[in-house]
Amino acid sequence: MSASTHQRQEADHEDVPRAAPPSGPIAALGATALDFLRAGLELYSVFVRALYYVFRGRREKGALLKQMFEIGNRSVFFVSITMGFIGMILVYQSGLQLRRVIPDFTMLGATYLELLVRDLGPSIASLILATRVGAGIAAEIGSMVVTEQVDALRMCAADPIDFLVVPRFLASLIMTTMLIVWASTVAFFAGAATAYFAYDLSFQTFFNISLIDTGDVVTGMSKCIAYGAAIPIVSGYCGLSTFGGSEGVGWATTRAVVNSSLAIIVLNFFISGAAFLIF
Amino acid sequence: MAAATAPDRDPAPGPSRLDAFAEGVGQSFLVIAATAGGMGVLLGQIVRRLFPPRIDKTELWRNLYKMSVKSLPIVVVTALFVGAIMVIQAAPIVKRYGAEGLLGWGAGFGTLREIAPLLTALMISGRVGANNTAELGTMVVTEQVDALRALAIDPLSFLILPRFISITLTLFMMTLYADCLALLGASLTGDALLSVSPQSFYNGLVGSGLLGFGDVANGLFKSFVFGLVIALSSCHFGLSTTGGAPGVGRSVTATVVASAAGIFIIDYLLSFILG
């Protein structure tokens, strides 16, 4: 969609050198705003249609299980490794931070667990997942678009959203939640080991769930669901709007990773803010 | 004798599950070793071309513009929101202990040392690293790199060196920028949510004496190393692309995954080494 506007602008101003903005800064700003609005509307339409087809769509046998395997099982190793390292870094850094004020590490584990359940587990795990899952979804759908397989689907009266996006959407909703719970557990145990070796903090002191309350768990779970929905929708949209051959697939992948990460960060801000005001 | 043993061997020609598993593990270790070795060789070749530096200036400027200036919007949005999230997460703890004066320090410590370099690196690897791989990969599969070689132009000093320098510089500058913006976002959120005025946020950040230049330098050094990781992996996977258009997509995914994993692992090592 942005390609068509650029082409139109360049066709209107063929005598203007390429380096100059097409028709003044205000027009460029307006074009950007319109592009942005159009992309937002399209993203919204993909989301609504995916929700519709979740209930009314045709079922393809095995597609959901296949996607669950692709999204879930194939990411377990990657997510475990990265979240394990993140857990070690976070506990080490907060220990350093704590040592500068009060050399009392008894609440380190409880505070870490609260932060992990409420924010860090879901957010960082889904930022990691967005790179792997989002890139995979966009690359797959994007290469289908540029090889005109999606047009072939439309010719067969199968909506590509029903056929391509919905299985990934459902699989991601289920598997993201599971992976986040698993990754947070890995991060917590890695943190416990770090506290034991770096600060001589016993496991009994570290395993302290006194600060966890319903609000934390509800916030964490709603984040899991929101991110699990956001990653396939944003990446699916980026994949479906691919243009320009093999280079376009690379661009679609890039946009999918960047936009799903942005979506996660923005959603995190709103959910965290709402949770702070509610609980 | 051969005829006698043949019936024994024939019924089980396929490998057992354990053999297949062991083979898979071995294969992935070989792939990881080949990738690490390839990156090491690439780093060596790049360093050799830096002395004396023979860099194509036009290419360097073009890449710097494309990578840095064009990444500004996402870095701005990410940094502002991340600063805000840091304060929202610290808010219950601040309220519990009534430590409004320490909010600036608490948010600043995590942001400057850890979160700003890490998240900026993730965003830049998603945008710049992936795009770089896609570009180089397309050049490789359409044999443009071979064309450069045929014209006796060294692809490493013409294509790779400017990109390498641009990515490293971009990440360094963007982290500096993200540090400032994240602190701005944090102080605004602290003002709105906890009614901690920007003055007392600033006092907690600078005046408490708990946060020094060392913390900023720590984060910036990390961002430099992350830049090297992103540059190396994106150039390596771009140059080793095979298999046409689908291969480009595979390379891009491999780059993003490898740089994310590399960033986290190196972050861990650096956190311990720098202390």
Side-chain angles (χ1 to χ4, degrees), chain A residues 75-89 124-125 127-129 131 183 186-187 190, chain B residues 122 257-265 268:
Chain A
S75 309
V76 170
F77 181 69
F78 180 50
V79 170
S80 310
I81 293 279
T82 40
M83 280 301 280
F85 279 107
I86 272 287
M88 294 195 265
I89 302 163
I124 296 182
L127 281 175
I128 298 165
L129 277 177
T131 59
V186 170
Chain B
L122 278 183
V257 170
S259 22
I263 285 168
F264 281 112
I265 292 170
Y268 165 74

Side-chain angles (χ1 to χ4, degrees), chain B residues 186-266:
Chain B
S187 71
L188 292 179
T189 319
D191 197 11
L193 214 61
L194 298 166
S195 48
V196 175
S197 69
Q199 280 89 350
S200 59
F201 187 91
Y202 181 75
N203 279 338
L205 191 65
V206 181
S208 59
L210 292 164
L211 206 63
F213 176 72
D215 296 301
V216 183
N218 187 317
L220 287 179
F221 179 71
K222 272 185 190 171
S223 80
F224 174 70
V225 180
F226 294 163
L228 288 184
V229 172
I230 296 173
L232 258 187
S233 62
S234 72
C235 291
H236 169 76
F237 284 110
L239 284 181
S240 60
T241 304
T242 46
V248 177
R250 274 200 303 276
S251 290
V252 171
T253 317
T255 303
V256 178
V257 170
S259 22
I263 285 168
F264 281 112
I265 292 170
I266 283 184

Side-chain angles (χ1 to χ4, degrees), chain A residues 118 268-269 272-273 276, chain B residues 83-92 189 193:
Chain A
R118 200 173 54 205
N268 186 9
F269 172 72
S272 298
F276 177 73
Chain B
I85 292 164
M86 290 296 282
V87 167
I88 294 176
Q89 295 309 330
T189 319
L193 214 61

Side-chain angles (χ1 to χ4, degrees), chain A residues 86 93 100-101 118 254 272, chain B residues 89 105 113-114 126 210 215:
Chain A
I86 272 287
Q93 292 275 13
R100 289 194 195 174
V101 204
R118 200 173 54 205
T254 314
S272 298
Chain B
Q89 295 309 330
W105 167 70
R113 283 182 75 110
E114 201 56 61
L210 292 164
D215 296 301

Side-chain angles (χ1 to χ4, degrees), chain A residues 36 45 48 56-58 85 117 154 159 177 217 264 275:
Chain A
F36 205 67
S45 120
V48 170
R56 292 288 169 85
R58 279 180 284 185
F85 279 107
V117 168
R154 283 211 189 86
D159 193 320
T177 313
V217 178
I264 287 167

Side-chain angles (χ1 to χ4, degrees), chain A residues 41-55 161 166 169 233:
Chain A
L41 281 177
E42 246 169 90
L43 189 63
Y44 177 71
S45 120
V46 171
F47 180 53
V48 170
R49 276 152 72 196
L51 273 188
Y52 172 80
Y53 283 121
V54 164
F55 297 108
I161 293 195
V166 166
F169 176 69
I233 294 291

Side-chain angles (χ1 to χ4, degrees), chain A residues 141-165:
Chain A
I141 297 184
S143 47
M144 283 185 177
V145 169
V146 297
T147 52
E148 293 171 12
Q149 292 176 47
V150 172
D151 296 332
L153 268 182
R154 283 211 189 86
M155 289 271 290
C156 304
D159 193 320
I161 293 195
D162 182 17
F163 208 73
L164 296 176
V165 177

